[in-house]
Amino acid sequence: MKDNEKKLTLTSFDDIFKNDETRQEEKAERVQLISVDLMDDFPNHPFKILDDEKMQDTIESIKQNGVLVPVIIRPKQDGRYEIVSGHRRHYACIAADVKEMPAIVRDMTDDEATIIMVDSNLQRENILPSEKAFAYKMKLDAMKRQAGRPPRNNLCQVGTNLLGKRSDEVMSKEVNESARTIQRYIRLTELITELLDMVDEKTMSFNAGVELSYLQKEEQRQLYEIMECDECSPSLNQAQRLKKCSMENRLTKEVITEIMSEEKSIDMKVTLGGNKIKKYFPRDYTPKQMEQVILKLLDNWSKKRQQNELEK
């Protein structure tokens, strides 16, 4: 037989006599026990796995009851698997010294896997801003790529796969955030790690972090050095001015120092519930009248306190 002749592959005897129902059953997803050692993390997984009290509860639960919800994994070419949903359960199994865990093996594209990975983790409570930022970016990029491809049942691409809507508009409904909010979260991915950590730790506001994301990386590093040295963080107003200077190509280290050395105005807000103060006023007093009396009393108290200070 010549080398360039195609080899014939004969259908096996068993395959010939399989009916459609049998073939469908073989293709159907089912829960399997898979070794935890064969499972790898999803590439660039944006959600942090913390060994906190909740994780310890999960570990104890798995020791006592096993894994109640199967993980979702997809096969890799080297015979291993990639975790799409269930990273915390996988971590807990390893910590609990559990060798196998229930899993659903599913074939999917990179983009399909990314969207499922993000959606399954967004159901968690207490998601950090940095986690949302990178998760939203990964999902939106995947959706944009999918929108640019023809559907599997239609080889002729017309418009988009998303009924003519922008990907961030579709995603907005899925994650219950406005398209603008999604884009603002994604801006945080442009921050250097040190500044992004400050947003996570709430030592810098989310809005200030968004504004600083427009600074060049070297400008961000210079800013962080000054912030660390002076033990301070920028207000929203300062962050906006830093951004403006950066856009105008005049954000030097001296300018950063000048802006950051300014004293911040403190916006104090004290709320007094109606039930706490209404007993001190006639019943027919309006909130406005109550406010006027309170301010007058505070003014008299302040004058008296100043007078006492002078007499000391």
Side-chain angles (χ1 to χ4, degrees):
M1 183 180 293
K2 295 180 180 179
D3 292 339
N4 60 355
E5 289 183 1
K6 293 182 179 179
K7 293 183 179 180
L8 295 176
T9 302
L10 299 178
T11 304
S12 68
F13 183 83
D14 290 337
D15 287 340
I16 292 174
F17 290 97
K18 282 181 182 176
N19 57 34
D20 291 339
E21 184 177 350
T22 303
R23 292 191 180 93
Q24 286 298 115
E25 288 178 356
E26 289 180 351
K27 291 180 181 179
E29 291 181 347
R30 61 186 185 279
V31 178
Q32 308 175 45
L33 281 177
I34 305 290
S35 169
V36 296
D37 294 334
L38 291 177
M39 299 181 189
D40 299 324
D41 289 339
F42 196 93
N44 301 316
H45 188 259
F47 297 94
K48 298 176 182 178
I49 299 175
L50 303 177
D51 194 359
D52 53 12
E53 186 177 346
K54 286 186 177 181
M55 176 57 72
Q56 291 304 315
D57 291 342
T58 302
I59 293 170
E60 288 303 313
S61 175
I62 287 176
K63 285 180 179 179
Q64 295 179 21
N65 308 307
V67 179
L68 302 179
V69 180
V71 295
I72 299 176
I73 57 180
R74 65 170 182 161
K76 299 170 64 177
Q77 292 183 348
D78 58 1
R80 298 179 62 80
Y81 300 91
E82 186 175 278
I83 304 172
V84 177
S85 173
H87 289 77
R88 294 184 77 257
R89 277 162 281 160
H90 180 253
Y91 179 95
C93 280
I94 294 175
D97 199 27
V98 173
K99 303 302 181 185
E100 294 180 326
M101 64 187 303
I104 296 174
V105 181
R106 183 180 302 171
D107 284 313
M108 34 188 146
T109 66
D110 291 345
D111 292 337
E112 289 170 341
T114 296
I115 291 172
I116 292 175
M117 180 275 295
V118 171
D119 287 346
S120 61
N121 281 280
L122 285 177
Q123 307 303 319
R124 288 167 34 195
E125 296 179 1
N126 304 322
I127 299 175
L128 295 172
S130 64
E131 293 177 316
K132 267 192 178 183
F134 285 100
Y136 283 173
K137 186 177 189 304
M138 291 178 72
K139 177 170 181 176
L140 189 59
D141 287 346
M143 292 177 67
K144 286 178 179 177
R145 287 191 294 267
Q146 286 190 331
R149 300 185 190 125
R152 293 180 179 178
N153 61 351
N154 179 13
L155 297 179
C156 179
Q157 176 68 26
V158 178
T160 70
N161 289 345
L162 301 175
L163 304 178
K165 294 183 179 179
R166 283 176 31 172
S167 297
D168 58 354
E169 293 175 349
V170 176
M171 182 172 162
S172 171
K173 293 183 179 180
E174 293 180 356
V175 301
N176 197 28
E177 301 259 30
S178 70
R180 182 174 182 274
T181 299
I182 290 171
Q183 294 294 350
R184 286 173 62 77
Y185 267 108
I186 291 175
R187 280 300 320 173
L188 293 181
T189 64
E190 300 297 329
L191 287 175
I192 61 174
T193 303
E194 293 84 356
L195 295 181
L196 186 56
D197 287 344
M198 292 184 69
V199 177
D200 279 346
E201 294 162 4
K202 297 183 179 179
T203 54
M204 182 167 66
S205 73
F206 170 84
N207 289 330
V210 172
E211 298 299 319
L212 296 180
S213 70
Y214 289 91
L215 273 59
Q216 300 296 321
K217 292 295 189 290
E218 183 56 34
E219 294 171 341
Q220 292 185 36
R221 280 187 280 270
Q222 289 180 346
L223 170 63
Y224 179 73
E225 289 175 5
I226 293 170
M227 291 166 59
E228 193 175 38
C229 180
D230 296 342
E231 297 183 350
C232 63
S233 63
S235 65
L236 176 58
N237 179 267
Q238 287 173 318
Q240 289 170 336
R241 290 169 60 197
L242 289 166
K243 172 188 172 183
K244 185 175 185 294
C245 291
S246 177
M247 294 295 185
E248 295 172 352
N249 294 318
R250 57 183 184 88
L251 187 62
T252 63
K253 193 168 185 177
E254 291 72 28
V255 172
I256 295 174
T257 302
E258 181 183 347
I259 292 176
M260 291 302 297
S261 63
E262 295 173 356
E263 187 176 348
K264 300 184 182 71
S265 61
I266 301 175
D267 182 18
M268 291 185 62
K269 184 177 181 180
V270 178
T271 303
L272 295 176
N275 292 333
K276 291 181 180 179
I277 61 174
K278 66 180 182 180
K279 63 181 180 181
Y280 299 107
F281 296 91
R283 289 186 178 182
D284 60 345
Y285 262 47
T286 65
K288 184 65 177 177
Q289 289 174 311
M290 292 181 185
E291 181 183 330
Q292 290 173 345
V293 171
I294 291 172
L295 290 175
K296 185 175 181 180
L297 291 172
L298 286 173
D299 186 53
N300 292 335
W301 172 78
S302 179
K303 290 178 180 178
K304 185 176 180 179
R305 186 175 61 83
Q306 290 174 8
Q307 183 64 34
N308 290 338
E309 289 291 329
L310 291 174
E311 293 175 355
K312 286 182 179 179

